[in-house]
Amino acid sequence: MRYLPHTEEDIASMLQAIGEKSLEGLFATVPDSCRRERALELPEPFGEFELCERVGNLAGRMAVSPKYSVYLGAGSYEHFIPASVSYLLGRSEFSTSYTPYQPEISQGTLQAIYEYQTLVARLLGMDVANASLYDGASALAEALSMAVRVTKRDKVAVSSLIHPAYRRVVQTYFETTGHEVVQLPYLSNGRTDFSKLEEIQDLAALAVQSPNFFGCIEDIQTAAEVAHQKRALLVVTFSEPLAYGLLKSPGSQGADIACGEGQSFGVPQSFGGPALGMFATKMEYVRNLPGRLVGQTTDIDGNRGFVLTLATREQHIRREKATSNICTNNSLCAVAAAMYMASLGATGLRELAALNRDKAEYLKRRLMETGAEKPFEAPTFNEFVVKFPNSFEATYERLLNKGIVPGLRLERHYPELTGHYLLCVTEIRTKAEMDALVKEIAS
Amino acid sequence: MRYLPHTEEDIASMLQAIGEKSLEGLFATVPDSCRRERALELPEPFGEFELCERVGNLAGRMAVSPKYSVYLGAGSYEHFIPASVSYLLGRSEFSTSYTPYQPEISQGTLQAIYEYQTLVARLLGMDVANASLYDGASALAEALSMAVRVTKRDKVAVSSLIHPAYRRVVQTYFETTGHEVVQLPYLSNGRTDFSKLEEIQDLAALAVQSPNFFGCIEDIQTAAEVAHQKRALLVVTFSEPLAYGLLKSPGSQGADIACGEGQSFGVPQSFGGPALGMFATKMEYVRNLPGRLVGQTTDIDGNRGFVLTLATREQHIRREKATSNICTNNSLCAVAAAMYMASLGATGLRELAALNRDKAEYLKRRLMETGAEKPFEAPTFNEFVVKFPNSFEATYERLLNKGIVPGLRLERHYPELTGHYLLCVTEIRTKAEMDALVKEIAS
Amino acid sequence: MTGFPGTTGLILNEPLLWEKGKQGRSGMSLPHRDVNRAPFPEELLGTPPEFPDLSEVDVVRHYTRLSQWNFGVDTGMYPLGSCTMKYNPKVNEKLASLPGFSKAHPLLPHQLCQGALALMFELERLLAEVTGMDAVSLQPAAGAQGELTGMLIIHACHKSRKSQRSKIIVPDTAHGTNPASAAICGYRPVKVKSNEQGVLAAESIAELMDEETAGIMVTNPNTLGLFEEHISEISRIVHDKGGLVYCDGANMNALMGIVDMGKTGVDVLHLNLHKTFSGPHGGGGPGSGPVCVKKDLEPFLPVPRVMEQDGTYLLSEDFPESIGKVHAFYGSFGVSVRAYAYILSMGPELKTASQLAVLNANYIKEQLKGTLHLEYDRPCMHECVFSDKLQRAHKITTLDMVKRLMDYGFHPPTIYFPLVVEGAIMIEPTETESKENVDLFIDAMKAIAEEAAQNPELLRSAPTRCKVRRLDETSAARNPCLTG
Amino acid sequence: MTGFPGTTGLILNEPLLWEKGKQGRSGMSLPHRDVNRAPFPEELLGTPPEFPDLSEVDVVRHYTRLSQWNFGVDTGMYPLGSCTMKYNPKVNEKLASLPGFSKAHPLLPHQLCQGALALMFELERLLAEVTGMDAVSLQPAAGAQGELTGMLIIHACHKSRKSQRSKIIVPDTAHGTNPASAAICGYRPVKVKSNEQGVLAAESIAELMDEETAGIMVTNPNTLGLFEEHISEISRIVHDKGGLVYCDGANMNALMGIVDMGKTGVDVLHLNLHKTFSGPHGGGGPGSGPVCVKKDLEPFLPVPRVMEQDGTYLLSEDFPESIGKVHAFYGSFGVSVRAYAYILSMGPELKTASQLAVLNANYIKEQLKGTLHLEYDRPCMHECVFSDKLQRAHKITTLDMVKRLMDYGFHPPTIYFPLVVEGAIMIEPTETESKENVDLFIDAMKAIAEEAAQNPELLRSAPTRCKVRRLDETSAARNPCLTG
Ligand SMILES: Cc1ncc(COP(=O)(O)O)c(C=O)c1O
Ligand SMILES: Cc1ncc(COP(=O)(O)O)c(C=O)c1O
């Protein structure tokens, strides 16, 4: 077997050195009561050729561009990834190493992550960002737990326009803690309604998503005022960080924690994972931060170098008192994001964001012409909600058969929103594709 | 433009340092009489996204497996290339460097080529192999020129069962030299007829291909005796080196030069190129060898290292007296072949060769059952000639439409062989595919 | 030091990203703008973040150079204990990046994503077969999240049984994530000592286990690399008191095809696909930490779950007792593809892999004991744990020894863990290291022990061959510089 | 030496392939055997060659380690004169390896390979537009084969005119491949000196050109990096005597969008796609050397040729006057894909590329003259040629200086070529080097010149940072060890 280098002689001589007669003998300490009764019932080993055929067939049964035009966003975005990023990320010095516990032999990963932390902090307008978490959903859960730790309070208010999956993960994380999660309703303009906050006491955090699940851009300024009035932390979350190529950063508007999903920056959608949990906060809270941190230092010759630092927050030192249980994070996705941000640059980021927004606005306008309605007035980025006439159900199925996925039905997540769809348009959707969609819908 | 790092300021300050006012000014030494009258009429620059779409569409209009079953060989063979080889070859330290003129900074390429030379010499049973030539055809032309140099004679005899394209390239290279190329007919068993050699005087070389263009394995032993009787060099060429995983090596049977196409060893078919010209000979002729050579040496500390050597044979030293005009060779293809041979090992090579032979024998037998004839008796490796009934013309077209390319029509190259087809079966053709082909033909 | 892989060669310095670049450069092209600019509300418009503008060649050289400062499994032996740094097959990378997978949106209508759903469904079955458990969820994004998920399942199970429990038993040898994960769902970890054989004695569990206790978290083999021999007995004790048994299966690489985790009494187990099942570690992740449960805990697994209905695969949310979601979508699907490819490539030979992993570890244990102090001199599983006890005489620490090991061309083992062994050196060779490599590693450790006695300064000043010398971690923590 | 990219770090030793491995190991799997073994004639069966058996991880580490001993364009600046080591776009690699291309058989029926034929057809048109020539063949596998093809075309043309010619004029600055290629088709190269400006004087050509002479081979810009200003005049002289003008276009990177090669009187031209058009150099190749001709030479181009017939592409052999074939199939198609992708990516900006290549070269020329002796102090094109004249006083040679340059973290320029400049240092930065990189290179050369004066031993003992020190090339040639 090509992954197993041992020859018969190797095994024999090693067993002899150990003083065992057989490989089975090595497992003498395993009581019979623990042993398998039958051999592994697995298919015979696949050769690489047959393996590629088998897995290739599965991959072939998936609806992806260019064959399909998929207008789905809702937490996973189809952005173009340059070949340079994929190539660099595939260099095995990055992919086959592990957490840089031994800094002298891991400077590549460490500098790359230090640069990632810096670019994320700059993007979000925060002081410090960590080395990554699993995804946007667990990042929000960690943020709210952190707010509870920081404020020593146990109520959190969560906008109902935060990604439904993110809110469910928060529920799961908070289920057993006794902390209370209050949901805030939304206004008719597609933004969060903060009024309900009035009556809430001992608020640890207010969490809003911007752009929110409807694609609408929230009023973070106001959210910050409301939250800070109650001496609660403002947590701004996001599923589409590209929006901050245009928008004011969360930090510049008073966010205490900014966290969310970073997949848009060079991470393949990959059916939802691995993703990239981005997490940033103010320096004053750094010792409450979950996850790993890379810091700059010097070696004994005074040369610049990088190390994992502030480990006293972490599980391997603090055990049950750690700020989080995270160990393995999503480092390689963070490096991908750094490579992608480095390739874009400030100029490219701004233009790419504008291109997303403008293409989405184009489709929005064209859809209105077909008689669809725009239920929410608040400005949007590259996602928006549309209400189609009841006849659309049939159209939807027809479009699927034509290789078009015209957005996400919102009814499942918001029962009141029958006939409402969430559509996403990124830079890779061409005007021609959108015109074709509009034509299909109109016909 | 992402490939052009210069900013406006860069350009301005550099022009100033040079003392030029404009970029145009840099071309003062170019007379108007030499200048273009109009700007380049080229399409506007493609972004990477559109480029991938455009080129991807072209690639989509090609008949390749798994969608197509292609039974073509004839100098290009569909062998499975493991992902490890493609990955390693893609490491840019290999692909973006050039000829290792500066050995201290090129040891990776140099050791890899030294290992390639060694594996090729071992495969072919020769003393020494060069660092690669362009392809099998030019390798044969170079071999015959070398034989002329070595023997100081000017006639070469070439088997008519050598790949037609190789023979045409030899013609082209010899066209203007005044050297004579004699073609030897073939016997009814599918091997070369050497009898014609009797009357030829001053023979510099006899060239045979094994397995030959009909897939038949030649009698090298006899060829060697005939050639050496006439004090001519025996040149053994090949288009399918994998055969030597089973066959006696050319060297062990008296070949003076063994050369041919190495594409089968880990080099993608890529519509015929880049390919890999393999070239090996006896040590006594090494100073007449065309192409680059890597040799082992030591550095001033006595450590082992590798360098380009015996350069006095080459054009950059010897100019018009060089053993060849080759400069850029097919180094990366040679490294691919080394990686592939290293992955196979002696054990894998033997088994892979057997698998090719056995699958080909299976199809051959099954085709005979459909009433096709086997015109040539000599044993074959993974290619063989079949004579189909006249009705086959129609079948051929029908098969194409079903995604099967059932071999190569021989008539174009051998007018006497109407209705004869050359079929190739490698390890990746499954029994199921072959049974389907047979069924189609029988129906 | 001749004969060992470590040496020095030309590598390239490279500044920080923002120390290079010039405004207006571009490292990637954007798709053609085929729509007009739409007006954007002034009040929402921010100032662009301070990203440097780099050309493509700048970016390519930056990361090519950085990569060369790193040591990975493809560079050499990486015996990092508890992390199973086995070879990561290249074909798995190719398959995970097939457009059908890498470009797939997670919310595609089910009829448009049958390939991915089928793969997930099949992988769950394969993992159940390998572990001996009944049902599996691939959703946890890494081992620690698998632990949390497992704890939440246990919590939900007790709740469904109307039993309130506040404690959980956690051995002193447990990985830090165990108590941390338990704490998140409100359990107070109660530490239990392993016995002088380095394993849990049934008696000590019997003493602690009560109706207040939700159960136990065992790692098996434990972090000393020892099989918890009394696990069946322990499980019985825990079950008798109404508790549940959680097994940290991160060390499953020792037991494939040999142990039936179900039979050992385990109720919930997590796996690390990025360890046992060859997922590349990515400089720290991503991982994947599926949870496997016995039949009666299946209702509590995270949703959605992949179901099969006469040949069609669906995602179902219809599990009222489920703990809910721990990931926005379905976990690290990309890692699942690699694990699936790995299991199909190995088939029943997964057992051989475990046998050879254990063979390598025991071989190292036998060859190095005497050179290094072996805390528990008994047959080990996939890893063995030494300490620097014998070197303290020369004022040489574990840290000194492993820093020196870098100069010899090996990645250091895990150090100072498990905590029960002072100055621990935890060595996990994995099955993909040949006898030649293992022998070289052994010789290197012996040579270093020799140097520790003869020339300790060599170790204290190590490493000398890496791009940087020993780094000042103290001042890094004292005045943190976390962004540039 | 601080501030420069060169430094040292940990790299790994690696033995030769056959110094590792054990019989029975395997580095790749074979497709499943689904047919029986067929008997194989004893007398034909050989003994397997002595290849080592390695596992996949052995092979992966072997070449990963080797790669780290290499310096490529992705590592840093590679100003190798006459070789145009520009950045090789990564997307081109991706496109060339699309299965539709990489798995395509060259003898597919034309209706099954329209994509490849269309690409070849379009690329020929694009190259004609860039050069100003009329017809193109992509068949030559590299520049030298392009030269040979060109010479054969000239030979065939003369033959068709019933004129027997035995000589060809080749300037002393020509690349070695020029005379070598001419010699293969039986032409005797007649060397002509360049004038004190480093270019060809029309007079000297007039003296040599006669009815015995087939024509001239000019490299333009020539290998001194200078534009052959009198090319039009020279072409006239050659044409008047019935000769033909061959241009070695390997240096086309200086002239795209600026010079019309057709207008300069060139009849045949070859291009190096692996230089001007960004094909990666692959540690020595593969390359691609298309020939471009004026209309009246088109009949002599190699066959097959790609034709278009109302939207369908075909390969045609129907050119009775063709010189025949120089490649088994159609040349380096894979390199053509890269060149095609490159030209589409650049479009009219190819002109900017040439302008910036020339800008970089002139900038280096201006900054370094005085530090290094500049043989011809006049505006250069894409490269500039210095010599070690000023350093000889310190007994420092060109070789010493460039070996030292490695320690600074740069690949050396081309040295001791062109032959007309004693101790030549030929620097071609290309357009893809930023001003910052070029400035660093200039500073490095200045620092080295300083060291040559102050501390020459530093240079003679260089390089010190590479995996090996200076190698003994003499004994390598005296007793060649070419296989292991
Ligand atoms: C024994 C053990 N348990 C749990 C974990 C945590 O797994 P992960 O790092 O994937 O969260 C690890 C990995 O470090 C481990 O070694
Ligand atoms: C000026 C010049 N002519 C011709 C050649 C030969 O081209 P190739 O190496 O592709 O055969 C080269 C490349 O070295 C060159 O620089």
Side-chain angles (χ1 to χ4, degrees), chain A residues 387-437:
Chain A
K387 183 177 191 321
F388 286 113
N390 306 345
S391 62
F392 189 73
E393 270 309 309
T395 316
Y396 180 87
E397 296 304 325
R398 195 181 78 241
L399 290 171
L400 290 189
N401 297 329
K402 299 213 169 195
I404 303 175
V405 183
L408 181 76
R409 283 197 185 85
L410 281 183
E411 190 171 359
R412 219 186 95 214
H413 305 289
Y414 299 87
E416 69 277 16
L417 299 182
T418 51
H420 289 61
Y421 287 76
L422 177 66
L423 281 81
C424 174
V425 183
T426 68
E427 73 279 4
I428 66 148
R429 292 271 88 80
T430 63
K431 181 170 176 301
E433 271 178 295
M434 295 189 274
D435 292 343
L437 169 63

Side-chain angles (χ1 to χ4, degrees), chain B residues 101-378:
Chain B
Y101 299 114
Q102 299 289 345
E104 299 84 359
I105 207 166
S106 314
Q107 284 297 301
T109 295
L110 285 162
Q111 182 170 331
I113 295 296
Y114 178 78
E115 292 170 334
Y116 163 81
Q117 291 174 180
T118 303
L119 295 178
V120 169
R122 291 182 182 188
L123 177 75
L124 301 174
M126 308 298 290
D127 300 332
V128 50
N130 76 6
S132 79
L133 297 172
Y134 305 134
D135 69 348
S138 61
L140 178 59
E142 293 275 14
L144 295 174
S145 312
M146 174 172 151
V148 167
R149 281 196 304 276
V150 167
T151 60
K152 308 204 172 36
R153 301 171 167 191
D154 68 354
K155 265 203 221 79
V156 297
V158 172
S159 159
S160 54
L161 295 182
I162 288 177
H163 194 299
Y166 294 14
R167 284 179 285 132
R168 290 183 65 187
V169 171
V170 169
Q171 281 301 350
T172 309
Y173 271 69
F174 275 56
E175 183 65 31
T176 56
T177 57
H179 308 315
E180 188 186 340
V181 182
V182 184
Q183 307 264 344
L184 302 178
Y186 61 87
L187 304 162
S188 61
N189 66 357
R191 286 177 166 171
T192 306
D193 177 359
F194 300 120
S195 57
K196 187 173 170 191
L197 281 172
E198 305 286 311
E199 68 247 23
I200 304 176
Q201 299 315 315
D202 313 318
L203 188 68
L206 161 62
V208 289
Q209 176 178 328
S210 184
N212 64 32
F213 191 67
F214 292 169
C216 297
I217 296 155
E218 292 276 6
D219 179 355
I220 303 299
Q221 206 92 41
T222 308
E225 283 155 20
V226 182
H228 293 156
Q229 248 168 33
K230 302 197 145 277
R231 308 212 327 285
L233 302 193
L234 173 66
V235 176
V236 173
T237 187
F238 50 85
S239 65
E240 177 50 291
L242 181 60
Y244 293 110
L246 275 181
L247 302 185
K248 291 202 176 100
S249 69
S252 68
Q253 299 174 95
D256 300 290
I257 300 174
C259 66
E261 177 53 60
Q263 173 268 327
S264 278
F265 286 165
V267 179
Q269 293 179 280
S270 200
F271 206 54
L276 171 59
M278 286 183 166
F279 196 105
T281 187
K282 296 180 172 165
M283 202 57 195
E284 58 188 295
Y285 303 131
V286 71
R287 284 168 201 280
N288 270 295
L289 195 71
R292 298 215 148 91
L293 281 167
V294 173
Q296 181 176 312
T297 184
T298 55
D299 71 4
I300 58 174
D301 296 338
N303 295 318
R304 176 166 74 185
F306 302 91
V307 294
L308 289 174
T309 191
L310 300 184
T312 50
R313 301 163 299 111
E314 294 185 62
Q315 45 75 25
H316 62 282
I317 310 282
R318 268 296 210 50
R319 320 233 352 137
E320 60 266 34
K321 297 192 182 47
T323 57
S324 165
N325 67 330
I326 192 166
C327 177
T328 292
N329 58 14
N330 282 32
S331 190
L332 199 65
C333 304
V335 174
M339 290 171 174
Y340 184 89
M341 291 187 274
S343 300
L344 266 182
T347 312
L349 176 70
R350 170 58 57 103
E351 177 54 23
L352 180 61
L355 195 53
N356 272 255
R357 148 94 180 169
D358 297 342
K359 290 198 173 207
E361 288 299 305
Y362 176 80
L363 181 61
K364 195 197 278 182
R365 209 189 68 239
R366 293 298 316 282
L367 286 175
M368 296 309 115
E369 296 165 13
T370 68
E373 297 159 32
K374 184 174 79 175
F376 306 115
E377 269 318 313

Side-chain angles (χ1 to χ4, degrees), chain A residues 154-429:
Chain A
D154 69 354
K155 267 205 220 74
V156 298
V158 171
S159 160
S160 55
L161 295 182
I162 288 177
H163 194 298
Y166 294 14
R167 284 180 284 130
R168 291 182 65 186
V169 171
V170 169
Q171 280 300 350
T172 310
Y173 271 69
F174 275 56
E175 184 64 33
T176 57
T177 58
H179 308 314
E180 188 187 340
V181 182
V182 185
Q183 307 264 345
L184 301 179
Y186 61 87
L187 303 164
S188 61
N189 66 358
R191 285 178 167 171
T192 306
D193 176 359
F194 301 119
S195 57
K196 188 173 171 192
L197 281 171
E198 306 284 311
E199 70 249 23
I200 304 176
Q201 299 315 314
D202 314 319
L203 188 67
L206 162 62
V208 288
Q209 174 177 328
S210 185
N212 63 31
F213 191 68
F214 292 169
C216 297
I217 297 154
E218 292 276 5
D219 178 356
I220 303 299
Q221 207 92 42
T222 308
E225 284 155 19
V226 182
H228 293 155
Q229 246 168 34
K230 304 196 143 281
R231 308 214 324 290
L233 301 192
L234 174 65
V235 176
V236 173
T237 188
F238 51 85
S239 65
E240 177 49 292
L242 181 59
Y244 293 110
L246 275 180
L247 302 185
K248 290 201 177 101
S249 69
S252 68
Q253 299 175 92
D256 301 290
I257 300 175
C259 65
E261 178 53 60
Q263 172 269 326
S264 277
F265 287 164
V267 180
Q269 292 179 280
S270 199
F271 206 55
L276 171 59
M278 286 183 166
F279 197 105
T281 186
K282 296 180 172 164
M283 202 57 196
E284 57 187 296
Y285 302 131
V286 72
R287 283 166 202 280
N288 270 294
L289 195 70
R292 299 216 149 89
L293 281 167
V294 173
Q296 180 176 312
T297 184
T298 54
D299 71 4
I300 58 174
D301 296 338
N303 296 318
R304 175 165 75 184
F306 302 90
V307 295
L308 289 173
T309 192
L310 300 183
T312 52
R313 301 163 299 112
E314 294 185 65
Q315 45 76 23
H316 61 282
I317 311 282
R318 269 294 212 53
R319 315 218 18 122
E320 62 266 34
K321 298 195 180 48
T323 57
S324 166
N325 66 332
I326 192 166
C327 177
T328 293
N329 58 13
N330 283 32
S331 190
L332 199 65
C333 304
V335 173
M339 290 171 173
Y340 184 88
M341 291 187 274
S343 301
L344 265 182
T347 311
L349 177 70
R350 171 57 57 103
E351 177 53 24
L352 179 61
L355 195 54
N356 273 254
R357 148 93 179 167
D358 297 342
K359 290 198 175 209
E361 288 300 304
Y362 174 82
L363 181 60
K364 196 196 277 182
R365 212 189 66 235
R366 293 298 317 281
L367 286 175
M368 296 309 117
E369 296 166 12
T370 70
E373 295 160 34
K374 184 174 78 176
F376 306 116
E377 270 317 315
T380 58
F381 177 59
N382 66 0
E383 285 183 279
F384 54 88
V385 175
V386 166
K387 183 177 191 321
F388 286 113
N390 306 345
S391 62
F392 189 73
E393 270 309 309
T395 316
Y396 180 87
E397 296 304 325
R398 195 181 78 241
L399 290 171
L400 290 189
N401 297 329
K402 299 213 169 195
I404 303 175
V405 183
L408 181 76
R409 283 197 185 85
L410 281 183
E411 190 171 359
R412 219 186 95 214
H413 305 289
Y414 299 87
E416 69 277 16
L417 299 182
T418 51
H420 289 61
Y421 287 76
L422 177 66
L423 281 81
C424 174
V425 183
T426 68
E427 73 279 4
I428 66 148
R429 292 271 88 80

